Structure formats: structure tokens, C-alpha cells
Amino acid sequence: MNGRTIDIAIAGGGLAGGLIALALRRARPDLRVALVEAGPTLGGNHRWSWFASDLDAEGTALLRELHQTRWDGYSVRFPGHARDLATPYHSLASADFDAGLRRLLPEGTVHCDRPIAALDARGIDLADGERVEARCVIDCRGIERAPQLQGGWQVFMGRRLRTARPHGIERPVIMDAAVEQHGAYRFVYTLPLSGDELFVEDTYYADSPLLDRTVLAGRIDRYCEARGWDGERLDHETGVLPVVTGGDFAAFQAAHRTPGVAVAGARGGFVHPLTSYTLPFAAATAIAIAREADLPGERLAAMMEARARAHWRRTRFYRQLGRMLFGAGSPDERYKVFGRFYRLPEPLIERFYAARSTPGDRARVLCGKPPVPVLGAIRSLVTPGAPLSREAA
């Protein structure tokens, strides 16, 4: 950022922005790219996980350059039912994301600790008064409020710890719902990062975005104590993610639109409505942008808006399932929805997480023995959820 006009300026160095920069480096190393992040590191303090079946060959190749942990399968547990599945599972820590991008991107691409004051179709204005001129601008900043959309919340706290002795866990347990539910669909998520290191996360599908750190930390303590996992606490993370069940997507796009600026990531709506997963869509978006990197900014912005609308249409089924989940009678009974789902064939489960469910999959999920009482399901399909604003709490 030396006064020259660059090719592409990316606002926001989270998952979406970082993968776009990486895809551009792979496909178009001739382009001058700036990745501008307000925080001190790329990716913040997060851990992203995904199933191998979530990504196509190009997405797998893109992520392969970043250090990640991989397991050959995972497990789930529900009251009266447990299952081991063979789908490989991957996880990427934000520290490795940051280190990988700094290693792989050309010198001068990454600009951290640079808060953004404003942006437009021709550049980014930094809070310190510097202007980054660019042929094309992509907005990958996060959002705090989405009152145009409706739904519930996924509230979580994760802890990484080094155990005093080998913990003996060989594969991830991505849902242990055989725990007290505490007025939500609650499950504990455990990743064995090494022989003596675990990541343990307490997750809730809740009606409110309230996150009580003290309460959740205490529940993680008790979960670990019951399994004999004691040792050094290395770090932790917390999060509140929207579970989208409906809303006015055109109004959402309008609220986050800057004329001529392409929008990606969660700000663009590229999220799995029910699971809140973003990585598969971030990878696909990054590859699509890299293919069209010569487009003028206005045309790239139009392309991304069209992709976002198509994504909204394709994921309608998962918003329907979200309404069923949050409308499934007592919150303490919500675990039964996923408990039944995890009795279905493994390929169907893979397509569900990748947001590629077939018509036959949808019929299989919704028909047969209902996952929720029929009247409750019908009510949930016609009753909108609360606006997705943390201020509602």
C-alpha cells in the first residue's frame, strides 16, 4: 500500500477474506492483492472444522496448503444411541490459518492492525487516514446484527487443554448429546488434537444469544472431570452464531451492500443456515472469485450478489429444518431431532452437511417416523423465529 492502485483489496482477514487471497495467489500470482484486517492476526480466535465430503477437489487442494488436523471418522452420542461414522473430519486453528497465509502470500499482501473507516468501489479508507486504491474491492467483514433474518442461536464455549496423561480418545466426538440439556439442544464436541491435547466445546441451539462464560466454563469443568481429563488449560474461545430459519434476504443484502463492492463470507449470506458452517462456502467462493479475477468491480459485485441469492434458494430446506428444530416442543426435547437424523444413511448425512441434499434425502428426513411431533412441525413451518439481533437478548 504504497500509493499505487492495486488490483484487488479485501476488507476483512477472516476465513472468507483469507481464502480469497490464497485462491488468488494460486490462480493469479500476477495480481497485486491487499488483505486488510483490523485485528492483530488473520482469522481471529477460532477453530474451523469440516467433513472431507464438504469440499470438491479444488476446495480440498486450496485447504491442503494450510496446516490442519485430520481424522478417519468421527462419533456421535445420544441418549440410547451412539454411532461411529467413517467420513474423514478436518480441523483448522486460526493460529495455523494466520501462519499459513503469512507464509504463502506474497510479501506486502497482509496488513493487520489496520481498522477500516469506510470503503467504496474504488478503495478502502483506513482509520489512520490512509487510502488503499484498488480496481476491485471485496467486503469480507463480519456482521453484528441481521434483523432482516429470523431464527435462533448457536452459543458455544471451547477450551483447549493439555492433559496430565494420555487421554485415549482416537476420533472426534462431534455431538455428545447424552448430557443434561439445560433448556436448549445441548451437546459437547471433543477433538483429540494429539495424544495429550483436547479441544472440548459446549454448544447450545438456544432461543437467546445469551452466553454466560462462568456457567459454560463450569459445565466444561464437570464434563472433563467425569472423564478424568485434568491438566493445563491452554486457551479458549467463545461464539454466538445465528441459526437462520427465515427472513427477507433481499433486505439483508440491501443492508450490507456498498455499490460496486463485492460481498463474501457471512456478510454475503454464505453460511449453512442450520449448522452455521462457513468453510465449504468460503472455499467455493474463493475459487469462483479467483476464476473471475479480471472482472471490473461492479461486475464482480453483481456476480457475488447472484451467487448469494442462489445459495439462499438452495438452502431453503435447511431453514425449514431449523424451524422444526426450534419448534420441537420443549427445548430439552430438541436433541431427538438430531438423534433420529443420525440413524439415517451416512451418504445422506454427508450431503446434509455439505448443503447438497437431494430431493430423496429431503423426503427421507421429513417422512417416515417424524423427527418432531407433526403438529409442532406444522406450527414451526408457519411461525417465524425472532429477528437475528444480539440486542434482542
Side-chain angles (χ1 to χ4, degrees):
M1 301 195 292
N2 54 9
R4 296 185 302 164
T5 298
I6 63 172
D7 293 293
I8 298 176
I10 304 168
L15 181 67
L19 290 184
I20 291 170
L22 182 58
L24 288 168
R25 193 273 302 171
R26 284 170 52 91
R28 294 296 305 275
D30 57 306
L31 297 181
R32 293 168 296 176
V33 176
L35 180 60
V36 184
E37 165 58 33
T41 61
L42 300 174
N45 179 30
H46 296 288
R47 176 171 290 278
W48 301 281
S49 298
W50 67 98
F51 300 93
S53 51
D54 290 344
L55 299 176
D56 62 12
E58 285 185 285
T60 299
L62 179 66
L63 270 294
R64 188 177 293 125
E65 297 195 70
L66 301 172
H67 177 73
Q68 57 197 259
T69 308
R70 180 186 185 276
W71 301 270
D72 291 323
Y74 67 98
S75 302
V76 294
R77 298 169 185 159
F78 297 89
H81 172 57
R83 184 178 181 185
D84 295 329
L85 297 99
T87 308
Y89 196 64
H90 298 248
S91 190
L92 169 65
S94 54
D96 292 323
F97 180 74
D98 177 80
L101 290 179
R102 291 179 187 271
R103 171 175 52 86
L104 294 165
L105 297 178
E107 184 178 356
T109 300
V110 175
H111 304 273
C112 288
D113 284 317
R114 305 303 300 271
I116 294 171
L119 52 72
D120 56 53
R122 294 294 174 263
I124 298 174
D125 293 317
L126 302 179
D128 62 7
E130 183 178 353
R131 168 80 174 174
V132 183
E133 295 285 349
R135 170 178 60 81
C136 178
V137 177
I138 305 173
D139 191 355
C140 299
R141 296 173 296 172
I143 54 175
E144 287 293 322
R145 302 180 67 251
Q148 307 84 9
L149 305 181
Q150 297 155 350
W153 302 92
Q154 189 181 140
V155 178
F156 62 89
M157 170 179 280
R159 177 187 298 167
R160 186 168 65 97
L161 70 152
R162 180 168 290 116
T163 55
R165 60 193 63 84
H167 49 67
I169 307 301
E170 296 183 356
R171 57 167 52 197
V173 179
I174 70 160
M175 284 186 181
D176 181 358
V179 293
E180 190 173 349
Q181 295 295 284
H182 294 295
Y185 169 42
R186 177 196 178 206
F187 59 89
V188 179
Y189 169 87
T190 302
L191 300 179
L193 300 176
S194 70
D196 64 351
E197 189 174 321
L198 289 170
F199 180 78
V200 183
E201 182 178 282
D202 198 12
T203 301
Y204 300 77
Y205 276 74
D207 298 313
S208 163
L210 178 65
L211 190 157
D212 189 321
R213 288 171 171 79
T214 301
V215 169
L216 268 60
R219 291 174 184 169
I220 293 175
D221 288 343
R222 291 190 290 277
Y223 188 86
C224 292
E225 289 167 3
R227 287 150 185 82
W229 300 338
D230 62 331
E232 178 187 3
R233 300 182 187 183
L234 301 176
D235 55 42
H236 75 280
E237 65 177 86
T238 59
V240 179
L241 301 174
V243 180
V244 180
T245 63
D248 184 342
F249 191 67
F252 172 83
Q253 285 190 302
H256 298 94
R257 178 187 298 126
T258 301
V261 174
V263 185
R267 192 179 189 90
F270 295 99
V271 178
H272 193 300
L274 185 54
T275 67
S276 302
Y277 277 29
T278 58
L279 186 140
F281 315 114
T285 296
I287 292 165
I289 287 175
R291 287 186 188 134
E292 303 294 344
D294 289 323
L295 286 177
E298 292 80 359
R299 288 181 59 189
L300 186 64
M303 182 192 88
M304 291 303 299
E305 284 216 0
R307 284 181 65 90
R309 290 193 296 270
H311 178 76
W312 178 264
R313 291 192 298 270
R314 283 196 303 270
T315 54
R316 177 178 180 271
F317 171 63
Y318 308 103
R319 294 191 295 278
Q320 178 183 2
L321 292 182
R323 293 195 294 274
M324 294 175 69
L325 177 68
F326 283 100
S330 166
D332 286 336
E333 300 286 306
R334 289 175 183 168
Y335 74 88
K336 294 181 178 179
V337 175
F338 271 99
R340 177 191 177 274
F341 171 77
Y342 263 106
R343 294 179 183 271
L344 296 173
E346 191 163 347
L348 181 154
I349 295 170
E350 291 179 344
R351 291 188 292 270
F352 165 84
Y353 279 109
R356 293 194 294 264
S357 297
T358 67
D361 292 342
R362 296 193 287 269
R364 186 76 180 269
V365 171
L366 295 173
C367 296
K369 182 180 178 181
V372 297
V374 173
L375 291 178
I378 293 173
R379 283 196 299 272
S380 73
L381 296 180
V382 299
T383 304
L388 289 177
S389 169
R390 296 190 192 184
E391 295 172 3

